[in-house]
Structure formats: structure tokens, C-alpha cells
Amino acid sequence: MLELGTRVRMTKGYKGVEGIIIEIVRSRFEFYVVRLDNGIHIVAGPSSFEPLI
């Protein structure tokens, strides 16, 4: 499970766009709300992005 504030780079639909995890969705699945640098907020699973360290 990733922490709030983790920077990520999308690897699927918005490939190459960076963003930040702003919320962890309460679900039995591992979903996150990600605020992308282009202003869009999306819900994504960990297979949709890679964490930037």
C-alpha cells in the first residue's frame, strides 16, 4: 500500500503524465485517487502507475 503524497507516473491511459496520490479509496481493492499534473483527478490501481522515488 502506498502513502498519501507519493508521486507517480502513469503507465496506462494517461501514459507519461505525473501526479500525486491524494486519497486512498476505502475498498477491498487497492485503489487511489491521483491528482495528475494536467489537473485531472482519477481513480487508479497500482498497475496503472509507477511510484517516483
Side-chain angles (χ1 to χ4, degrees), residues 15-46:
K15 190 172 184 175
V17 178
E18 293 185 9
I20 189 167
I21 294 175
I22 61 169
E23 186 177 339
I24 299 170
V25 177
R26 287 187 55 191
S27 168
R28 61 186 174 135
F29 303 105
E30 187 179 354
F31 288 125
Y32 303 94
V33 177
V34 180
R35 182 180 65 220
L36 299 178
D37 291 346
N38 63 7
I40 296 173
H41 290 71
I42 62 169
V43 176

